[in-house]
Amino acid sequence: MSPHTRYIPLAVGALLLTAACASRTEQPLPAASASLPAAGAVPSMALPPPSYAPMSPGIGWPTATYAYPTQTYAYPTATTTAPTAAPLTKSPTPTPVHAAKCTGQPKAAEILTIIKGEDGIPDKTFQVKDGPFCSGTWAFTTVKLAGSDAGDQEPLMVVTIGKGNTLTVVAAGSDVCNAQVQSSAPAGIRVLACGF
């Protein structure tokens, strides 16, 4: 076999390939007026319907959760304060029972004698209206003008201390609730003279 004989099939193959390429020509472009759509026209193309991936069982669309802020209001509470009581001018204890009528001294006549000439007592004749009431050495008596009706005048009051020769007027007149009676008289006398 000659060395040139082996290259013949290769040359034949190259020629066939060249012939195939040469026979291929470019396709002419379509004419401008032939198939171009008018200006502004939308080519009609059928689009396939959208497809959705099937949902897995138990999985739904995501949901959003909103937390709304809350506000708490504290309403003021009304407080009432009891009014402060005015200072007591009377005894805070229950009103005591007044003194009982005297069983000994002083006697009514002694009270009428000792009040003569006292400040607050007119220079007239008096008689005992009620009393005397005694508690310890203290006594309380009400007197009125002799012979007058009880409704005609306001009786006068007399507070005394002591007995017999030591009998002394502490207060006499229409108001006998003085400082000495309030602070020193027994409760039974003070309630008659002062009302508490």
Side-chain angles (χ1 to χ4, degrees):
M1 184 180 224
S2 137
H4 296 293
T5 308
R6 257 177 326 170
Y7 294 110
I8 291 175
L10 285 176
V12 171
L15 284 175
L16 287 175
L17 182 61
T18 304
C21 287
S23 70
R24 189 165 189 195
T25 60
E26 290 201 15
Q27 298 282 337
L29 289 175
S33 62
S35 62
L36 287 180
V42 177
S44 63
M45 294 176 61
L47 295 176
S51 64
Y52 299 99
M55 300 294 288
S56 298
I59 299 177
W61 290 101
T63 57
T65 304
Y66 297 97
Y68 296 98
T70 58
Q71 190 166 2
T72 305
Y73 296 96
Y75 295 98
T77 55
T79 56
T80 55
T81 304
T84 306
L88 296 175
T89 55
K90 296 183 177 182
S91 171
T93 58
T95 304
V97 177
H98 69 74
K101 278 204 172 187
C102 301
T103 56
Q105 291 182 321
K107 303 281 185 195
E110 294 174 292
I111 298 294
L112 292 174
T113 301
I114 202 168
I115 64 171
K116 287 183 180 178
E118 284 290 323
D119 290 339
I121 301 294
D123 189 17
K124 295 186 179 181
T125 304
F126 286 90
Q127 68 185 57
V128 172
K129 179 179 181 230
D130 205 4
F133 300 95
C134 291
S135 180
T137 58
W138 290 72
F140 175 86
T141 310
T142 55
V143 296
K144 64 174 187 165
L145 286 173
S148 65
D149 188 22
D152 292 343
Q153 62 169 334
E154 181 182 359
L156 300 176
M157 297 174 281
V158 180
V159 177
T160 59
I161 190 169
K163 295 179 182 180
N165 295 335
T166 62
L167 187 64
T168 308
V169 174
V170 176
S174 58
D175 181 11
V176 292
C177 187
N178 62 20
Q180 184 181 359
V181 171
Q182 290 186 44
S183 62
S184 303
I189 298 297
R190 189 188 66 238
V191 73
L192 288 166
C194 301
F196 60 88

